[in-house]
Amino acid sequence: MDPAALGPHVEAKNLVGGQWKSTVATQTVIDPLTGADMVTIPSTSATEAREFSTLMAATPKSGAHNPLRNVDRYALYGSVHAKMAAEMRKPEVEDFFTKLIQRVVPKHDAQARGEVTVVRTWLESFSGDSVRQLARSFGLPGDRPGQASNGYRFPFGGVAVITPFNFPLEIPSIQTMSALMMGNRPLVKVDEKVAIVMEQFLRLAVHCGMPPEDVDYMYSDGAVANKVLRDGDARVTLFTGSQHVAEHLVVDLKGRVKLEDAGFDWKILGPDVPDAKHQVSLALTLSLTLTLTL
């Protein structure tokens, strides 16, 4: 894929059960600069989404690995992270993600490249033995012979990560890899207007050794995603987005949610803004437009 040559011929796909799959219906994402069709993405129906909810429900509460089972997978993800960080240090890979982010979100090169740098640094931090260290347990002597208390960091099992448009790479990538390295099986749903970025990140992860069946990635609207979470009995859902949707999920998922952010965020304009009044007006217009399209 070439970020400079996107068009309706570029077809995004869901990742489910370890396979990249298309859907019967599709839709196109509009280029925010030109208004032309930029990429064709799946429009997952409620029927097609059953595969996602079935896999989520079938995931054991003990996860794919934990301190007592399949412990070699901690080292696996330490290796995957190291290889991904090495790939993202290559100028051509850094440029690829930077330009792809800019195609879907109106960001300065420094802002878009900053996302790539943050993710790469995070991967480096959790490479090698660092993943195993996160699962460190504890032991406490009892108050009589033969008694002791031991605590272990266990995964939840089938979980979900739902993220918005404003950070197409940084938010979903770090949250998804965090869930994976601790043994969870996450269903990842990114705002479909920017989801092509995270899809490419997951393809990089598979290229670097991540088992493709460890994570599911879905393009869909909110109603279909909500049905998957309910039918799949998501153990925990990490949601970043609006307060309205967050309150809805709290009720539907019976409180099994973690909210990263919700509500109105202030925009801070730096000293390099040539016309502050014009930029404020532009930011307000863009925020209103995005709100109406969500």
Side-chain angles (χ1 to χ4, degrees):
M1 176 188 293
D2 181 2
L6 296 181
H9 64 281
V10 177
E11 181 184 359
K13 293 186 178 182
N14 287 331
L15 175 60
V16 56
Q19 297 181 358
W20 294 101
K21 295 184 178 181
S22 301
T23 55
V24 174
T26 60
Q27 58 182 333
T28 54
V29 175
I30 303 302
D31 189 321
L33 290 178
T34 66
D37 292 341
M38 184 169 61
V39 60
T40 301
I41 63 173
S43 183
T44 308
S45 67
T47 300
E48 292 168 324
R50 290 175 187 166
E51 187 173 2
F52 291 93
S53 57
T54 299
L55 289 169
M56 178 181 286
T59 303
K61 296 179 181 179
S62 56
H65 61 270
N66 58 58
L68 303 178
R69 184 170 64 89
N70 297 333
V71 295
D72 56 299
R73 284 173 52 88
Y74 292 112
L76 167 67
Y77 272 95
S79 174
V80 169
H81 289 176
K83 292 176 181 177
M84 293 181 71
E87 286 293 321
M88 294 180 75
R89 277 203 170 275
K90 296 178 179 179
E92 62 271 25
V93 176
E94 179 179 316
D95 287 343
F96 170 81
F97 280 108
T98 299
K99 299 304 180 184
L100 188 57
I101 290 171
Q102 287 185 296
R103 289 303 307 272
V104 297
V105 177
K107 289 191 175 186
H108 188 279
D109 180 87
Q111 292 176 306
R113 197 171 298 275
E115 283 197 54
V116 182
T117 302
V118 167
V119 173
R120 184 191 69 220
T121 303
W122 184 88
L123 289 168
E124 290 172 338
S125 297
F126 291 99
S127 298
D129 203 39
S130 296
V131 175
R132 188 172 64 90
Q133 294 295 332
L134 279 179
R136 186 186 297 255
S137 60
F138 69 86
L140 181 67
D143 55 9
R144 60 180 182 272
Q147 183 191 44
S149 295
N150 292 290
Y152 298 97
R153 293 179 181 268
F154 264 66
F156 287 95
V159 301
V161 174
I162 302 177
T163 64
F165 66 91
N166 54 340
F167 287 91
L169 179 65
E170 183 177 337
I171 295 177
S173 61
I174 292 177
Q175 292 180 351
T176 299
M177 300 311 292
S178 296
L180 284 166
M181 66 184 179
M182 286 294 99
N184 299 287
R185 179 181 185 143
L187 165 67
V188 185
K189 197 273 184 191
V190 180
D191 186 303
E192 56 266 29
K193 294 186 292 296
V194 302
I196 189 66
V197 178
M198 184 60 185
E199 178 188 329
Q200 294 303 307
F201 181 82
L202 288 177
R203 289 181 181 274
L204 174 62
V206 172
H207 172 73
C208 292
M210 181 191 78
E213 63 275 9
D214 279 8
V215 60
D216 297 310
Y217 191 66
M218 182 174 69
Y219 289 82
S220 76
D221 59 27
V224 170
N226 187 77
K227 181 173 175 55
V228 170
L229 298 181
R230 296 182 63 181
D231 293 349
D233 193 26
R235 299 276 294 164
V236 173
T237 296
L238 179 53
F239 173 78
T240 308
S242 72
Q243 180 178 344
H244 171 73
V245 176
E247 291 175 346
H248 178 82
L249 288 175
V250 168
V251 174
D252 271 11
L253 303 180
K254 302 176 182 178
R256 292 177 299 183
V257 298
K258 293 183 180 295
L259 305 180
E260 176 72 14
D261 189 22
F264 180 80
D265 290 328
W266 289 98
K267 309 302 180 190
I268 300 176
L269 303 178
D272 60 336
V273 177
D275 184 348
K277 290 185 178 181
H278 171 70
Q279 295 299 325
V280 168
S281 176
L282 184 62
L284 290 174
T285 302
L286 177 62
S287 296
L288 178 59
T289 301
L290 289 170
T291 300
L292 293 175
T293 57
L294 291 178

